Amino acid sequence: NSNIETSFDLYVVSDITNIPHEHTPSDWKVNNENHTMYKECTECGEILETKNITVAATKLTSCYNEVKGVQLKWNAVSGAKSYKVYRKLPSQTAWVEIKSTAALEYQDTNVTGNTVYQYSVKAVDQYGNESDYSPQRECRFIETPTLLSRTNAVGGVTIKWKKVAGA
């Protein structure tokens, strides 16, 4: 029969994400723009889980006087690429960044004698994410005394030096 007409509707599926399926999560991936990690469905690309990238805080292990300044040392943090060193006076509320370094120690030479400083350090990962501030350490910088004279004396040596504030 050549007079029979055949018709049918053609449906095109343009968005496969609307097809019901069981999601298969990918491994964790990194979004460098907003510093997050995410898992997506390996079939449709839908984001299944996200989390912020966080860096553990370090701990200042020592804070002591050296001839030219205050020496600081801290613990390494896994995943940290660098560390930011912060300082403030006890009367101040805001921390001021004084150094960014990949090292695990720093000597603050921009100090004044008989002054108490508070220090804290943040760990920074390769994406620029910063940890919380480390617990602060307080250190008083005491200047090295200036030698005024040294003379031989009976039974020893007599040494005189300029008095240092805070010593």
Side-chain angles (χ1 to χ4, degrees), residues 8-16 18-19:
F8 58 91
D9 291 329
L10 178 63
Y11 292 95
V12 177
V13 177
S14 62
D15 185 1
I16 63 167
N18 291 330
I19 300 173

PDB file of all heavy atoms in Angstrom, residues 8-16 18-19:
ATOM      1  N   PHE A   8       6.077  10.034  12.861  1.00  0.00           N
ATOM      2  CA  PHE A   8       6.584   9.785  14.224  1.00  0.00           C
ATOM      3  C   PHE A   8       7.219  11.072  14.725  1.00  0.00           C
ATOM      4  O   PHE A   8       7.615  11.942  13.953  1.00  0.00           O
ATOM      5  CB  PHE A   8       7.571   8.620  14.258  1.00  0.00           C
ATOM      6  CG  PHE A   8       8.758   8.808  13.352  1.00  0.00           C
ATOM      7  CD1 PHE A   8       9.923   9.419  13.826  1.00  0.00           C
ATOM      8  CD2 PHE A   8       8.726   8.355  12.037  1.00  0.00           C
ATOM      9  CE1 PHE A   8      10.998   9.589  12.995  1.00  0.00           C
ATOM     10  CE2 PHE A   8       9.813   8.516  11.217  1.00  0.00           C
ATOM     11  CZ  PHE A   8      10.966   9.148  11.694  1.00  0.00           C
ATOM     12  N   ASP A   9       7.267  11.156  16.034  1.00  0.00           N
ATOM     13  CA  ASP A   9       7.892  12.326  16.665  1.00  0.00           C
ATOM     14  C   ASP A   9       9.335  11.991  16.999  1.00  0.00           C
ATOM     15  O   ASP A   9       9.636  10.907  17.500  1.00  0.00           O
ATOM     16  CB  ASP A   9       7.153  12.713  17.947  1.00  0.00           C
ATOM     17  CG  ASP A   9       5.767  13.266  17.651  1.00  0.00           C
ATOM     18  OD1 ASP A   9       5.596  13.870  16.586  1.00  0.00           O
ATOM     19  OD2 ASP A   9       4.884  13.105  18.515  1.00  0.00           O
ATOM     20  N   LEU A  10      10.214  12.932  16.737  1.00  0.00           N
ATOM     21  CA  LEU A  10      11.633  12.744  17.036  1.00  0.00           C
ATOM     22  C   LEU A  10      11.971  13.601  18.254  1.00  0.00           C
ATOM     23  O   LEU A  10      11.757  14.802  18.263  1.00  0.00           O
ATOM     24  CB  LEU A  10      12.475  13.177  15.835  1.00  0.00           C
ATOM     25  CG  LEU A  10      13.975  13.089  16.012  1.00  0.00           C
ATOM     26  CD1 LEU A  10      14.396  11.634  16.231  1.00  0.00           C
ATOM     27  CD2 LEU A  10      14.664  13.651  14.772  1.00  0.00           C
ATOM     28  N   TYR A  11      12.489  12.958  19.303  1.00  0.00           N
ATOM     29  CA  TYR A  11      12.886  13.670  20.514  1.00  0.00           C
ATOM     30  C   TYR A  11      14.405  13.617  20.606  1.00  0.00           C
ATOM     31  O   TYR A  11      15.004  12.563  20.461  1.00  0.00           O
ATOM     32  CB  TYR A  11      12.280  13.014  21.758  1.00  0.00           C
ATOM     33  CG  TYR A  11      10.785  13.162  21.822  1.00  0.00           C
ATOM     34  CD1 TYR A  11       9.944  12.153  21.349  1.00  0.00           C
ATOM     35  CD2 TYR A  11      10.220  14.313  22.333  1.00  0.00           C
ATOM     36  CE1 TYR A  11       8.577  12.279  21.385  1.00  0.00           C
ATOM     37  CE2 TYR A  11       8.841  14.458  22.382  1.00  0.00           C
ATOM     38  CZ  TYR A  11       8.029  13.442  21.909  1.00  0.00           C
ATOM     39  OH  TYR A  11       6.674  13.587  21.950  1.00  0.00           O
ATOM     40  N   VAL A  12      14.982  14.743  20.845  1.00  0.00           N
ATOM     41  CA  VAL A  12      16.432  14.824  20.989  1.00  0.00           C
ATOM     42  C   VAL A  12      16.740  15.135  22.448  1.00  0.00           C
ATOM     43  O   VAL A  12      16.191  16.079  23.018  1.00  0.00           O
ATOM     44  CB  VAL A  12      17.032  15.926  20.084  1.00  0.00           C
ATOM     45  CG1 VAL A  12      18.539  16.044  20.313  1.00  0.00           C
ATOM     46  CG2 VAL A  12      16.691  15.654  18.641  1.00  0.00           C
ATOM     47  N   VAL A  13      17.586  14.321  23.032  1.00  0.00           N
ATOM     48  CA  VAL A  13      18.009  14.558  24.408  1.00  0.00           C
ATOM     49  C   VAL A  13      19.248  15.439  24.338  1.00  0.00           C
ATOM     50  O   VAL A  13      20.287  15.028  23.846  1.00  0.00           O
ATOM     51  CB  VAL A  13      18.319  13.230  25.144  1.00  0.00           C
ATOM     52  CG1 VAL A  13      18.819  13.501  26.545  1.00  0.00           C
ATOM     53  CG2 VAL A  13      17.098  12.343  25.144  1.00  0.00           C
ATOM     54  N   SER A  14      19.100  16.659  24.821  1.00  0.00           N
ATOM     55  CA  SER A  14      20.217  17.593  24.716  1.00  0.00           C
ATOM     56  C   SER A  14      20.970  17.757  26.032  1.00  0.00           C
ATOM     57  O   SER A  14      22.080  18.246  26.038  1.00  0.00           O
ATOM     58  CB  SER A  14      19.711  18.954  24.237  1.00  0.00           C
ATOM     59  OG  SER A  14      18.794  19.473  25.176  1.00  0.00           O
ATOM     60  N   ASP A  15      20.365  17.373  27.117  1.00  0.00           N
ATOM     61  CA  ASP A  15      21.032  17.559  28.415  1.00  0.00           C
ATOM     62  C   ASP A  15      21.019  16.235  29.150  1.00  0.00           C
ATOM     63  O   ASP A  15      20.021  15.846  29.734  1.00  0.00           O
ATOM     64  CB  ASP A  15      20.307  18.638  29.229  1.00  0.00           C
ATOM     65  CG  ASP A  15      21.024  18.964  30.530  1.00  0.00           C
ATOM     66  OD1 ASP A  15      22.093  18.370  30.797  1.00  0.00           O
ATOM     67  OD2 ASP A  15      20.527  19.810  31.276  1.00  0.00           O
ATOM     68  N   ILE A  16      22.146  15.545  29.129  1.00  0.00           N
ATOM     69  CA  ILE A  16      22.180  14.223  29.740  1.00  0.00           C
ATOM     70  C   ILE A  16      22.110  14.285  31.257  1.00  0.00           C
ATOM     71  O   ILE A  16      21.893  13.285  31.903  1.00  0.00           O
ATOM     72  CB  ILE A  16      23.430  13.431  29.308  1.00  0.00           C
ATOM     73  CG1 ILE A  16      24.705  14.118  29.785  1.00  0.00           C
ATOM     74  CG2 ILE A  16      23.459  13.184  27.829  1.00  0.00           C
ATOM     75  CD1 ILE A  16      25.934  13.241  29.678  1.00  0.00           C
ATOM     76  N   ASN A  18      19.792  15.460  32.924  1.00  0.00           N
ATOM     77  CA  ASN A  18      18.404  15.248  33.346  1.00  0.00           C
ATOM     78  C   ASN A  18      17.995  13.781  33.305  1.00  0.00           C
ATOM     79  O   ASN A  18      16.898  13.433  33.693  1.00  0.00           O
ATOM     80  CB  ASN A  18      17.454  16.072  32.464  1.00  0.00           C
ATOM     81  CG  ASN A  18      17.608  17.553  32.732  1.00  0.00           C
ATOM     82  OD1 ASN A  18      17.951  17.945  33.840  1.00  0.00           O
ATOM     83  ND2 ASN A  18      17.369  18.365  31.720  1.00  0.00           N
ATOM     84  N   ILE A  19      18.846  12.939  32.785  1.00  0.00           N
ATOM     85  CA  ILE A  19      18.542  11.513  32.747  1.00  0.00           C
ATOM     86  C   ILE A  19      18.872  10.944  34.124  1.00  0.00           C
ATOM     87  O   ILE A  19      20.006  11.077  34.602  1.00  0.00           O
ATOM     88  CB  ILE A  19      19.371  10.791  31.659  1.00  0.00           C
ATOM     89  CG1 ILE A  19      19.052  11.384  30.292  1.00  0.00           C
ATOM     90  CG2 ILE A  19      19.132   9.292  31.708  1.00  0.00           C
ATOM     91  CD1 ILE A  19      19.930  10.862  29.185  1.00  0.00           C
TER      92      ILE A  19
END
